[in-house]
Amino acid sequence: AQSVTQPDIHITVSEGASLELRCNYSYGATPYLFWYVQSPGQGLQLLLKYFSGDTLVQGIKGFEAEFKRSQSSFNLRKPSVHWSDAAEYFCAVGETDSNYQLIWGAGTKLIIKP
Amino acid sequence: DGGITQSPKYLFRKEGQNVTLSCEQNLNHDAMYWYRQDPGQGLRLIYYSQIVNDFQKGDIAEGYSVSREKKESFPLTVTSAQKNPTAFYLCASSIRGPNTEAFFGQGTRLTVV
C-alpha cells in the first residue's frame, strides 16, 4: 500500500537558521506531491506542489521543496526561518490511479527557538 | 471571497447525542472530503464525495454519516455509535480528480462532555 513517512515528529530550530523537513513516500509511479502547513487550531494551507517538470519547486512564504525520484523523497526547505513559521507541516501524495484521495504523512511540528 | 466555511468552530456534545458539523464551499468544486485529526496521527479520511448525491466511505467511516444534496454543502453527522468522537474535524474540497490540491476549512473542534 502507498504510504507517506515524515520521520521527524518534532524539529526545533533557532530563528534565522535553515530548515529541512523530510518526507518519503512509497509509490510505484511518479506521484503528485504536496506540502501543507497548519497553524494551531486552524485548517491546512497549501505551501507548494509538484506534478511534473522541474524537480525544485518554489512555494509561498519562502519555502521550496525538491523531488528526488531515486530517494523517493520530497523534502521541504527554507533558508532562514522566522518565528511565524512555527506550525505543523504535512506532506501528502496524490495517486494517479486513485479514488480521489490524498495520502497524508503524520506531520512534523516545527518549534522555533528565539 | 471564495473558500470553505465550517461551523461551528467549537462544539460540545453529551454522550449519546448525535451532532452535525456544517461544511459549505463556494469554490464550485465537485469533490468534498471530511477528515478527522488527532494528535500525532495526521489526517484520516472519514468520507468523501466526488459529485452531488454520491459519497464514499473513507478509512474511518464507522459512527459517522454524510449527505451531499447540494454541490456546495457536505454536512457530517457524528452519531452516538462513534466511540471516541472528541477530535478536530476538517472539511476540504477540490476540483474533481486525484491530483489537485485540496482547500481546507478552519476546522471544528468537537468535545464530548
Side-chain angles (χ1 to χ4, degrees):
Chain A
Q2 289 76 18
S3 64
V4 177
T5 301
Q6 293 181 247
D8 303 304
I9 297 173
H10 300 100
I11 280 189
T12 301
V13 299
S14 298
E15 190 169 16
S18 63
L19 170 70
E20 183 170 30
L21 301 182
R22 295 183 290 165
C23 173
N24 293 94
Y25 64 89
S26 167
Y27 185 59
T30 299
Y32 294 74
L33 298 158
F34 305 83
W35 274 101
Y36 286 82
V37 61
Q38 184 182 33
S39 297
Q42 301 294 315
L44 279 70
Q45 180 185 20
L46 180 71
L47 281 175
L48 47 78
K49 58 189 175 185
Y50 171 78
F51 288 169
S52 64
D54 192 346
T55 56
L56 183 64
V57 293
Q58 302 297 321
I60 62 171
K61 306 185 180 188
F63 285 92
E64 66 177 28
E66 186 171 13
F67 170 56
K68 293 186 177 180
R69 184 190 305 274
S70 62
Q71 299 177 20
S72 297
S73 69
F74 188 56
N75 294 349
L76 182 71
R77 301 194 294 247
K78 187 170 185 178
S80 176
V81 298
H82 185 262
W83 64 267
S84 61
D85 293 324
E88 192 155 19
Y89 293 79
F90 292 92
C91 181
V93 173
E95 304 171 327
T96 54
D97 57 351
S98 80
N99 51 1
Y100 306 119
Q101 292 187 42
L102 289 175
I103 300 173
W104 295 86
T108 297
K109 188 171 184 178
L110 175 62
I111 301 164
I112 307 295
K113 287 193 301 186
Chain B
D1 286 337
I4 298 182
T5 302
Q6 288 187 243
S7 61
K9 189 170 177 62
Y10 299 97
L11 189 56
F12 296 88
R13 185 195 95 176
K14 291 184 179 179
E15 279 194 35
Q17 288 182 339
N18 293 353
V19 64
T20 298
L21 283 60
S22 170
C23 179
E24 303 276 335
Q25 55 100 356
N26 60 4
L27 299 168
N28 200 33
H29 286 167
D30 286 313
M32 296 187 74
Y33 312 83
W34 274 105
Y35 291 95
R36 172 179 170 139
Q37 189 176 27
D38 296 283
Q41 296 198 44
L43 276 69
R44 292 186 291 167
L45 184 65
I46 304 172
Y47 269 97
Y48 64 100
S49 168
Q50 301 167 26
I51 199 167
V52 174
N53 292 322
D54 184 60
F55 48 83
Q56 306 294 328
K57 291 181 179 180
D59 300 319
I60 57 164
E62 184 175 353
Y64 300 97
S65 66
V66 294
S67 63
R68 187 85 186 277
E69 298 177 359
K70 299 187 300 181
K71 188 175 186 178
E72 302 80 16
S73 179
F74 192 41
L76 173 74
T77 297
V78 184
T79 74
S80 57
Q82 168 50 234
K83 292 184 176 15
N84 185 21
T86 295
F88 191 55
Y89 291 88
L90 286 163
C91 180
S93 72
S94 69
I95 298 169
R96 189 179 177 193
N99 311 315
T100 56
E101 65 185 90
F103 293 79
F104 284 83
Q106 293 300 295
T108 293
R109 183 165 298 282
L110 172 64
T111 303
V112 174
V113 297

